[in-house]
Amino acid sequence: QMCQKFTVCPNSMEMLLHNKLNLPKVTEEDGDFLTFLSFQDKCLRKISSGLYTFQTYLKYVKETFISESQNVESLSYSTEHLARTIRQMVINPEEVIIPDAATQESLHTKLKSTKDWTEKITIHLILRDFTSFMEKTVRAVRYLKNTRSFSV
């Protein structure tokens, strides 16, 4: 929809040049997916922390992508619920990193300062990385569900 509506396509060089967002993701440093999952508690902490971090980005998307604000609101609510649920599964839930209000506000202000033409690229990057993060989250939760006795 973003590509058709705003002519922001995944292969756009402009998009790649302006990707200075610090979005949560699984990186090379985390090792490959199976190694990453072998540290189940660490995996759950990282997923929960990432979901909490995405909340600020989703708030920006909701405020900026007005035509889809209701869908983004629902997505944000579900993401927060999933973050809380996964946090409860961590051995020490206090170890889950939840951005404090000042950090969230600083990030939100930075995002809001983007120019109109970069705004659409920023939304696209946030949604693309959120999708990737959620794909890995689903894989991790399925794996953990099959190897641990818990229900999500």
Side-chain angles (χ1 to χ4, degrees):
Q1 281 183 337
M2 287 287 296
C3 188
Q4 292 170 351
K5 199 170 198 172
F6 300 117
T7 63
V8 177
C9 299
N11 297 328
S12 168
M13 283 304 290
E14 278 185 63
M15 222 168 58
L16 299 174
L17 293 173
H18 295 288
N19 188 2
K20 294 179 181 153
L21 301 172
N22 188 22
L23 296 160
K25 58 184 77 179
V26 177
T27 64
E28 291 290 326
E29 295 158 6
D30 297 315
D32 64 47
F33 192 67
L34 292 176
T35 303
F36 181 62
L37 289 177
S38 68
F39 303 103
Q40 293 180 4
D41 199 60
K42 177 183 175 187
C43 175
L44 292 172
R45 278 194 317 270
K46 181 160 184 139
I47 288 170
S48 185
S49 295
L51 292 169
Y52 278 114
T53 301
F54 264 111
Q55 288 300 110
T56 304
Y57 291 100
L58 291 173
K59 177 182 176 186
Y60 168 76
V61 172
K62 184 183 104 182
E63 293 172 358
T64 310
F65 198 13
I66 305 295
S67 64
E68 296 296 324
S69 73
Q70 189 172 0
N71 289 334
V72 179
E73 176 70 30
S74 175
L75 179 65
S76 182
Y77 175 79
S78 298
T79 300
E80 185 177 0
H81 178 72
L82 182 59
R84 277 194 315 268
T85 301
I86 292 176
R87 182 173 183 248
Q88 291 170 355
M89 296 162 51
V90 173
I91 294 169
N92 293 315
E94 301 78 35
E95 292 178 359
V96 171
I97 298 168
I98 302 172
D100 61 27
T103 302
Q104 290 177 29
E105 188 56 37
S106 172
L107 174 59
H108 190 256
T109 301
K110 180 182 170 188
L111 289 169
K112 294 290 280 180
S113 71
T114 61
K115 309 254 184 296
D116 280 347
W117 63 275
T118 350
E119 191 174 81
K120 293 165 183 64
I121 293 167
T122 302
I123 291 170
H124 180 83
L125 292 171
I126 291 169
L127 294 175
R128 183 196 66 188
D129 284 13
F130 180 74
T131 300
S132 175
F133 191 88
M134 287 306 297
E135 287 169 353
K136 290 177 175 73
T137 296
V138 168
R139 287 174 41 196
V141 169
R142 281 186 184 148
Y143 175 83
L144 294 173
K145 188 173 183 180
N146 291 331
T147 59
R148 276 173 71 166
S149 56
F150 72 84
S151 58
V152 177

